[in-house]
Amino acid sequence: MTTTPWWRGAVVYQVYPRSMMDANNDGIGDILGIISKLDYIASLGVDAIWVSPFFKSPMKDFGYDISDYRDIDPIFGTLADFDELIAKAHARGIKIIIDQVLSHTSDQHAWFMESRESRDNAKADWYVWADPQPDGTPPNNWLAIFGGSAWEWEPRRCQYYLHNFLKTQPDLNYHCPQVQQQILSEVEFWLKRGVDGLRLDAIIFCFHDQLLRNNPAKPEEERRGRGFREDNPYAFQRHVYDCDRPENLQFLEALRKLMDRYPGTVTLGEIASEDSLKTMAEYTAGTSRLHMAYSFELLVDQLSGTYIRETIETLEKNLSEGWPCWSIGNHDVVRVMSRWGGINPSPQLAKTLNAMLMSLRGSICSYQGEELGLVEADIQQHELQDPYGITFWPRFKGRDGCRTPMPWTHQENHAGFSHAKTWLPIPSAHKECAVSLQENDSGSILNAYRKFMHWRKQQPCLRFGDIEFVAAADEYVVFIRSFGSEKLLCAFNFSASAQVISLDANYRLEKTEGHGCDSVSTEGKVLSVSAYSTVIARVL
Ligand code: BGC
């Protein structure tokens, strides 16, 4: 076991720094705020934290638009604060994963400011520039995820530049060797500072097709599934030329060589391609690319046991040495309690969801607030911050509803997050879920999370074992994790009524969450799991 890298089977807690804790009372969270909550984070029993971007940025996409890779934005603090965060996290046995946004910069980055000036300056090729078509329109049909054409006109050069997200997020040109070298050196700046890993934002977007071929249309019958919204024409194309290009793999290999010079560090790629499960396997194959990757495949709108089983089975079939990482919520999607639980979800659902996530094979990303069972916050139009939501309102409200500040104390103003008006409102339903209330309730979602996590740590089956699904109804997820001769049956009931499964082995009850199971015996071969409950049983 000693040779197993720390990140295999680890639980990574995602911190959205604007909303963790505000130490300087400007209404926005910061690094000193995160430091003040390290004991809380440690009490959850997680292995690492992934901190969303805190680098210098005009914040047009809340930090995913970086204007200086080597500095901290004053909103969040200083480099000295960050060094303190690493030291204090490490002192508590918590690893630090930072978010690296390598495919694009802010338009305020010095590289872009220089590049946009002329066609022959030293950084002229650092971004993706292209001439207009003879009729003056953009070079091709590529679209930006956040709306409209992916091309923006720059009068200084009389050319268009490419941006896959906002027009203030110009895309770096990885076909230019100096860009790759420079980016690796920006990454190394943080490796030298002692970070334990990188979450690689939008990593499939590094390269584009140099011939700038048009993306083909996606036939209407295929425009469905994850992320499809009829209000966003981005979903009307097959994204074969603007992302996930074959050259990406060579860059990942160069990045891995750098990581290997800093033993114990890890890469976690964010994948959202035409076939994310295939891309996850491809990007993590062998030992010379990414260590692990996660996709949006479990960030879907509907809870379906069949879908979860099929998704995981498909990835497992594709993966060779690659290691999966799963999440059911993050800062880009509606909170899982609302997505999968609808209006007024049962608090018990949160416990079952967290237990299921922690029991999957792979590493796990758990988004801040999931340990409290937070639901999506309802944000009014005048309160919107996310440019994605501002563009697509009212059909799509953007990502603010999952990014609101953490509710720490029930009675305090601003739920103890800040003394000032917070950058996004804290809903009253969140105050009812405050940490201060849940701490003192032995049956709370928070305490169930902690108990499960601490138990999980002792279970090699859950951290490292294989996974095999057992056929079950759609409201049910059942699988067996096995490690050596040990086998654990994990059953999760997401419905409001008890479910019964038949097994072909005897079992002994190991752990239950919620109302647990109605009938268990060491001789038993029939298991009945109560509404919204988790049952873990040792297969004898
Ligand atoms: C991040 C988003 C961000 C986008 C552009 C992503 O996938 O998770 O929050 O807006 O990349 O950087």
Side-chain angles (χ1 to χ4, degrees):
M1 212 77 77
T2 46
T3 54
T4 308
W6 69 264
W7 46 268
R8 287 205 170 221
V11 176
V12 179
Y13 181 75
Q14 185 193 349
V15 170
Y16 194 68
R18 293 181 79 85
S19 289
M20 188 64 181
M21 178 66 193
D22 177 16
N24 67 351
N25 289 307
D26 61 358
I28 300 173
D30 41 46
I31 294 176
L32 291 180
I34 302 173
I35 293 173
S36 73
K37 294 298 177 190
L38 279 176
D39 284 336
Y40 168 79
I41 295 173
S43 80
L44 299 176
V46 299
D47 302 281
I49 57 177
W50 142 28
V51 192
S52 282
F54 44 73
F55 312 98
K56 204 145 192 255
S57 163
M59 301 289 163
K60 295 284 188 284
D61 189 21
F62 297 102
Y64 284 94
D65 49 329
I66 296 175
S67 56
D68 184 349
Y69 284 101
R70 299 186 187 217
D71 208 352
I72 309 279
D73 196 274
I75 288 182
F76 295 123
T78 63
L79 279 168
D81 295 344
F82 182 72
D83 292 340
E84 188 183 333
L85 174 66
I86 296 201
K88 292 196 165 157
H90 285 172
R92 289 164 175 81
I94 299 172
K95 309 276 186 189
I96 297 280
I97 296 177
I98 58 167
D99 211 323
Q100 293 282 271
V101 188
L102 306 181
S103 90
H104 50 269
T105 67
S106 156
D107 63 347
Q108 300 304 305
H109 197 295
W111 304 340
F112 185 71
M113 309 259 253
E114 186 175 344
S115 188
R116 80 190 320 173
E117 279 304 322
S118 66
R119 296 184 183 207
D120 53 12
N121 65 73
K123 305 230 167 11
D125 294 334
W126 280 41
Y127 292 82
V128 184
W129 294 100
D131 291 332
Q133 298 202 54
D135 63 0
T137 56
N140 63 20
N141 72 351
W142 296 353
L143 295 171
I145 295 174
F146 292 161
S149 168
W151 297 97
E152 183 67 15
W153 180 249
E154 172 49 73
R156 295 174 180 89
R157 288 179 60 137
C158 291
Q159 280 186 311
Y160 284 97
Y161 66 85
L162 178 69
H163 60 92
N164 290 297
F165 297 91
L166 297 172
K167 66 179 182 190
T168 52
Q169 291 170 300
D171 206 62
L172 281 162
N173 177 20
Y174 275 73
H175 292 287
C176 169
Q178 292 94 320
V179 167
Q180 295 193 36
Q181 278 159 24
Q182 186 63 44
I183 282 293
L184 291 175
S185 120
E186 306 298 298
V187 167
E188 189 162 16
F189 174 83
W190 294 100
L191 293 172
K192 282 187 184 149
R193 274 200 125 77
V195 303
D196 303 291
L198 318 176
R199 179 258 185 188
L200 298 166
D201 182 72
I203 193 67
I204 64 165
F205 286 96
C206 289
F207 285 84
H208 64 285
D209 175 41
Q210 276 184 302
L211 299 176
L212 303 184
R213 282 170 282 191
N214 280 328
N215 281 327
K218 189 177 267 182
E220 209 173 330
E221 60 282 7
E222 289 177 33
R223 292 181 209 155
R224 60 182 127 75
R226 184 202 65 78
F228 172 68
R229 302 202 328 261
E230 61 185 6
D231 62 331
N232 189 349
Y234 190 82
F236 294 21
Q237 294 185 354
R238 264 195 233 286
H239 293 276
V240 289
Y241 292 122
D242 52 352
C243 64
D244 195 18
R245 302 295 303 157
E247 297 93 334
N248 252 356
L249 295 174
Q250 290 154 27
F251 175 69
L252 297 185
E253 285 166 12
L255 177 62
R256 178 59 177 263
K257 279 205 182 104
L258 169 64
M259 302 299 289
D260 286 347
R261 289 185 17 228
Y262 292 84
T265 58
V266 67
T267 46
L268 167 59
E270 179 205 32
I271 311 287
S273 66
E274 287 294 328
D275 186 346
S276 293
L277 299 176
K278 188 164 154 266
T279 310
M280 275 167 86
E282 193 181 24
Y283 279 32
T284 57
T287 51
S288 59
R289 298 177 183 169
L290 298 182
H291 299 86
M292 52 182 179
Y294 79 90
S295 74
F296 282 59
E297 300 312 287
L298 292 190
L299 300 173
V300 285
D301 291 341
Q302 303 292 329
L303 171 57
S304 152
T306 314
Y307 174 81
I308 292 174
R309 170 167 59 77
E310 287 173 357
T311 302
I312 293 173
E313 282 179 344
T314 307
L315 181 71
E316 289 289 333
K317 239 181 269 154
N318 283 321
L319 274 182
S320 43
E321 313 83 346
W323 184 253
C325 181
W326 294 109
S327 82
I328 53 175
N330 67 25
H331 66 293
D332 286 332
V333 289
V334 169
R335 282 206 176 266
V336 64
M337 275 292 271
S338 302
R339 251 183 305 123
W340 289 2
I343 299 165
N344 287 329
S346 158
Q348 194 54 46
L349 176 65
K351 296 183 190 173
T352 312
L353 288 175
N354 286 331
M356 181 196 72
L357 181 64
M358 307 303 172
S359 303
L360 294 177
R361 175 176 179 269
S363 302
I364 303 301
C365 288
S366 173
Y367 180 47
Q368 76 182 34
E370 284 175 5
E371 75 278 20
L372 304 176
L374 297 187
V375 295
E376 181 80 352
D378 191 20
I379 306 295
Q380 302 304 303
Q381 188 177 8
H382 69 273
E383 297 166 327
L384 283 185
Q385 302 284 333
D386 180 16
Y388 197 8
I390 291 169
T391 304
F392 286 97
W393 181 276
R395 291 185 69 141
F396 171 64
K397 294 183 175 179
R399 302 165 293 176
D400 293 321
C402 66
R403 296 178 173 180
T404 53
M406 282 284 281
W408 293 107
T409 32
H410 177 59
Q411 320 85 335
E412 274 185 64
N413 268 348
H414 312 298
F417 167 80
S418 175
H419 292 315
K421 184 172 184 286
T422 55
W423 75 286
L424 279 171
I426 305 179
S428 52
H430 284 198
K431 292 181 190 152
E432 298 307 315
C433 296
V435 173
S436 62
L437 291 177
Q438 297 208 33
E439 286 282 4
N440 300 321
D441 172 2
S442 61
S444 67
I445 299 168
L446 173 62
N447 282 320
Y449 184 102
R450 286 175 171 149
K451 272 184 242 157
F452 199 89
M453 286 286 295
H454 289 285
W455 173 78
R456 177 188 185 276
K457 275 199 161 70
Q458 318 306 321
Q459 310 302 323
C461 249
L462 290 195
R463 287 179 72 106
F464 315 114
D466 292 338
I467 189 167
E468 199 185 325
F469 280 82
V470 175
D474 199 38
E475 310 78 48
Y476 221 12
V477 172
V478 187
F479 48 77
I480 292 178
R481 300 290 313 273
S482 51
F483 187 72
S485 57
E486 205 189 353
K487 279 187 196 308
L488 284 181
L489 172 88
C490 309
F492 309 91
N493 179 0
F494 295 108
S495 75
S497 50
Q499 299 269 346
V500 175
I501 46 168
S502 306
L503 300 166
D504 57 6
N506 290 331
Y507 57 86
R508 188 182 66 234
L509 182 64
E510 178 83 18
K511 191 167 178 56
T512 59
E513 286 294 348
H515 305 296
C517 80
D518 295 334
S519 57
V520 185
S521 84
T522 48
E523 299 304 315
K525 287 196 175 174
V526 174
L527 183 69
S528 165
V529 184
S530 310
Y532 300 122
S533 291
T534 297
V535 170
I536 311 256
R538 197 160 293 278
V539 182
L540 300 174

